[in-house]
């Protein structure tokens, strides 16, 4: 009679983690493929509006891919260190924008969140920082974007502030699809996106309730 081998808890957890990593690898490869297709299609599109729409899709898929790269398996759960996620997304956006006259300052505290929150945070950052780089400094205007991450009581707060032209001249940010995506991501995170005109520029912020299981690792 064949004997049934029962894995130890440690071995079972190791196998589960290995399976998880394999699935994550497949997801990342699929996202990279979609991103490449959108980028290629955008380059071939003749209509400027279509090109912009495809570039926006490519940027959003790339942000989700970055979020997946930053998921770590720890203590039987998925965790994302937000400051590292912010740094990579901001670096990618700055590189694609090619705005040498626009400086980006980062003021980031260490914050750990559950893996499931990684993609919404990444998209929220991609939309708010991307919009600032595209629309806050028209006609080659120089300026500065400040991205902050801090823990405030039982929440963590993300802020994106610029010293650009502000909402009065920035109708794309005020009414565009990018801001709608950012608002939806804030709602998914159980937060609320606040828009505050400054002198000069604009400040966007969202406070998100901390997950108690994730926060104790931060």
């Amino acid at each position: 009679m064949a004997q049934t081998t029962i894995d130890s808890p440690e071995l079972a957890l190791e196998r589960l983690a290995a399976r998880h990593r394999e699935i994550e690898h497949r997801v990342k490869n699929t996202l990279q493929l979609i991103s490449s297709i959108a980028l290629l299609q955008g380059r071939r599109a003749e209509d400027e509006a279509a090109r912009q729409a495809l570039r926006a899709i490519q940027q959003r898929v790339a942000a989700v891919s970055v979020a997946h790269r930053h998921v770590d398996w720890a203590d039987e759960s998925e965790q994302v260190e937000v400051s590292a996620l912010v740094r990579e997304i901001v670096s990618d956006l700055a590189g694609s924008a090619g705005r040498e006259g626009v400086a980006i300052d980062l003021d980031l505290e260490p914050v750990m969140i559950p893996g499931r929150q990684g993609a919404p945070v990444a998209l929220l950052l991609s939309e708010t920082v991307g919009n600032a780089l595209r629309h806050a400094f028209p006609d080659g205007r120089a300026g500065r974007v400040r991205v902050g991450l801090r823990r405030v009581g039982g929440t963590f707060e993300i802020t994106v502030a610029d010293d650009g032209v502000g909402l009065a001249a920035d109708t794309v940010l005020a009414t565009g699809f990018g801001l709608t995506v950012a608002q939806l991501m804030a709602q998914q995170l159980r937060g609320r996106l606040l828009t505050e005109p400054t002198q000069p520029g604009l400040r966007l912020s969202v406070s998100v309730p901390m997950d108690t299981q994730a926060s104790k690792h931060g």
Side-chain angles (χ1 to χ4, degrees), residues 21-90:
R21 289 192 294 269
E22 179 184 349
I23 294 172
E24 283 293 315
H25 183 69
R26 292 178 183 175
V27 170
K28 286 184 280 191
N29 286 345
T30 301
L31 290 171
Q32 290 171 356
L33 177 61
I34 295 172
S35 178
S36 298
I37 292 173
L39 182 62
L40 179 62
Q41 188 67 40
R43 289 173 177 172
R44 293 186 176 184
E46 297 181 358
D47 181 71
E48 178 60 25
R51 285 196 296 268
Q52 291 182 3
L54 287 166
R55 280 197 296 267
I57 292 173
Q58 189 272 335
Q59 175 183 303
R60 289 167 184 136
V61 174
V64 174
S65 181
V66 171
H68 276 275
R69 284 203 299 273
H70 283 269
V71 173
D72 290 326
W73 182 272
D75 297 334
E76 303 183 31
S77 61
E78 297 176 347
Q79 304 287 315
V80 173
E81 209 292 295
V82 185
S83 64
L85 178 64
V86 173
R87 291 182 187 280
E88 182 167 351
I89 288 180
V90 170

Side-chain angles (χ1 to χ4, degrees), residues 85-192:
L85 178 64
V86 173
R87 291 182 187 280
E88 182 167 351
I89 288 180
V90 170
S91 177
D92 289 348
L93 290 171
S96 62
R99 296 296 304 271
E100 295 182 0
V102 178
I104 302 179
D105 296 335
L106 301 179
D107 182 12
L108 311 175
E109 295 182 2
V111 173
M112 297 296 294
I113 61 174
R116 66 180 181 277
Q117 291 184 327
V121 168
L123 285 169
L124 177 67
L125 287 163
S126 180
E127 298 301 331
T128 53
V129 177
N131 269 315
L133 291 173
R134 285 191 299 270
H135 305 302
F137 310 102
D139 304 320
R141 172 174 173 161
R144 187 174 298 274
V145 178
R146 297 178 177 85
V147 182
L149 170 67
R150 62 174 183 160
R151 296 174 66 159
V152 183
T155 68
F156 70 92
E157 182 181 64
I158 298 172
T159 59
V160 178
D162 65 72
D163 58 0
V165 296
L167 277 178
D170 190 0
T171 56
V172 176
L173 178 59
T175 60
F177 183 68
L179 185 59
T180 299
V181 172
Q183 291 170 334
L184 289 172
M185 293 305 100
Q187 292 174 9
Q188 186 169 334
L189 292 164
R190 296 183 294 142
R192 180 184 176 190

